[in-house]
Amino acid sequence: MTEPKDIVLKESEEVEGLPIEGPWLDEVSSLEEVLDYYERIGFQATHLGRAIEIWKKVEEKRAKGEEVRVFLGYTSNIISSGLRELVAWLVKEGKVDVIVTTAGGVEEDFIKALKPFILGDWGVNDALMREKGINRIGNIFVPNDRYIEFEKYMIPFFERILEMEREAGKPMTASEFIHEMGRYMDEKLGKEKEKSVIYWAYRRNVPIFCPAITDGSIGDMLYFFKEERGDRELIIDIANDIVKLNNLAVTAKETASIILGGSLPKHAIINANLFRGGTDYAIYITTAIPWDGSLSGAPPNEGVSWGKIRAKADYVEIWADATLVFPLLVWKVMKG
């Protein structure tokens, strides 16, 4: 019979690895030094430390002239928040090669160049907010006059696109449509455009793919435009964009997939990478859980089973709100 003491104090094997340790504040003097400890803190902090390591490796390869094509995917709430400016900076500085987002990720970027969103509160009377014409995205308020102003720009823009399609004799793809939005911003807007993702993507020739481009205010404006004019000519082509997106993965020597949130952008990126045998580097930041079988919650190793992430890829998933960790990740990789 095994003695209770032998059960409780069972002998263990030696384990090699990093000791768990956080910053001793008397010994650090900067955010960079604090972030150096993240890999050793444990839990999700260690995952953030791993993400820093992976992205730095990608940046080091790119600095040497090696091709690692960076795909960035994000849902619209990323642009609703103050992460919009970080994304725009990454595009401006040439750190991103391909973007996939939702309709909100496109239109809210344009709208913010017209009027800002306002910090509000989570605990409000939403029926009263509706009466006042104030929309809510979590604790971010978006008064309806933003969409009214957006329509003033979009209706003439649609007329321009329709004329361009007539001249070309074919419809424009969604990525071409968004590229033209960047050109339109460059012509029509002043200094406020300079923190826009769309504007810098246009300037740097970074394609923005949006397979569900009608699923938002752009779709609303298209409805108004087409119904009021009885138009059936203006078409946005998503079929040819899937060829372009997939080929951007297929033709790359290596790829890195950085994905904030889940949904359509996440799957569009990793599915494009399926055609090349999987992405080589992957960083997921999400609050979605895997237990419902959703793609949004699927961890990177599940992507390995589909061939969308290489079995020997460097990957990590940070289970956290992107607004908390993405600024730290970008800062440490790009400035730290």
Side-chain angles (χ1 to χ4, degrees), residues 23 28 50 61-62 99 116 138 147 166 175 185 191 200 204 209 265 272 274 279 287 293 303 308 316-317:
V28 295
R50 178 72 179 129
K61 283 193 166 189
R62 286 162 63 93
I99 291 174
Y147 293 99
R166 284 170 176 163
S175 62
M185 291 179 80
K191 193 172 179 61
W200 283 111
R204 299 291 186 249
F209 294 93
L274 169 63
T279 191
T287 55
K308 297 170 184 177
V316 69
E317 178 178 60

Side-chain angles (χ1 to χ4, degrees), residues 47-48 50-55 57-58 68-72 254-260 266 269-270 273 276 278-285 298-304 308-318 329:
H47 286 218
L48 176 55
R50 178 72 179 129
I52 291 168
E53 180 184 294
I54 291 170
W55 201 347
K57 183 187 292 186
V58 169
V68 184
R69 191 165 288 164
V70 176
F71 290 72
L72 176 64
E254 287 191 307
T255 66
S257 302
I258 301 168
I259 300 168
L260 313 181
K266 177 181 179 182
I269 287 173
I270 62 173
N273 276 276
R276 62 181 303 279
T279 191
D280 301 281
Y281 306 91
I283 297 170
Y284 290 179
I285 303 177
N301 52 307
E302 185 174 309
V304 172
K308 297 170 184 177
I309 296 177
R310 291 188 188 276
K312 294 183 179 180
D314 284 340
Y315 60 77
V316 69
E317 178 178 60
I318 306 169
L329 175 58

Side-chain angles (χ1 to χ4, degrees), residues 44-210:
Q44 294 305 305
T46 291
H47 286 218
L48 176 55
R50 178 72 179 129
I52 291 168
E53 180 184 294
I54 291 170
W55 201 347
K56 274 191 170 182
K57 183 187 292 186
V58 169
E59 279 296 298
E60 286 165 4
K61 283 193 166 189
R62 286 162 63 93
K64 293 175 184 175
E66 298 178 38
E67 186 192 29
V68 184
R69 191 165 288 164
V70 176
F71 290 72
L72 176 64
Y74 52 85
T75 43
S76 66
N77 56 326
I78 300 304
I79 299 301
S80 309
S81 75
L83 295 186
R84 171 204 184 225
E85 285 69 25
L86 275 177
V87 173
W89 183 89
L90 289 169
V91 178
K92 174 179 176 287
E93 296 299 318
K95 306 300 183 180
V96 174
D97 302 305
V98 184
I99 291 174
V100 183
T101 188
T102 58
V106 175
E107 64 210 20
E108 290 184 18
D109 179 65
F110 193 110
I111 292 168
K112 278 188 165 186
L114 304 176
K115 285 189 174 184
F117 291 4
I118 304 299
L119 182 62
D121 196 358
W122 296 91
V124 295
N125 182 329
D126 287 292
L128 183 60
M129 293 277 284
R130 180 59 186 166
E131 288 180 16
K132 293 181 176 182
I134 301 172
N135 308 289
R136 182 168 71 87
I137 305 168
N139 63 346
I140 297 171
F141 291 174
V142 189
N144 230 34
D145 67 342
R146 273 63 173 172
Y147 293 99
I148 294 168
E149 189 70 12
F150 184 51
E151 186 193 26
K152 292 178 183 176
Y153 283 84
M154 291 310 291
I155 297 304
F157 177 67
F158 291 151
E159 290 170 348
R160 173 188 289 195
I161 296 300
L162 181 55
E163 187 57 35
M164 290 175 71
E165 289 186 342
R166 284 170 176 163
E167 289 177 5
K170 63 177 182 178
M172 204 173 271
T173 65
S175 62
E176 291 168 342
F177 178 91
I178 297 165
H179 183 79
E180 289 303 320
M181 283 182 76
R183 189 193 310 276
Y184 190 62
M185 291 179 80
D186 196 20
E187 294 174 8
K188 302 294 183 181
L189 304 184
K191 193 172 179 61
E192 61 274 14
K193 71 193 174 194
E194 293 181 7
K195 291 185 178 179
S196 159
V197 180
I198 297 170
Y199 169 74
W200 283 111
Y202 161 70
R203 289 283 305 274
R204 299 291 186 249
N205 203 28
V206 173
I208 299 178
F209 294 93
C210 185

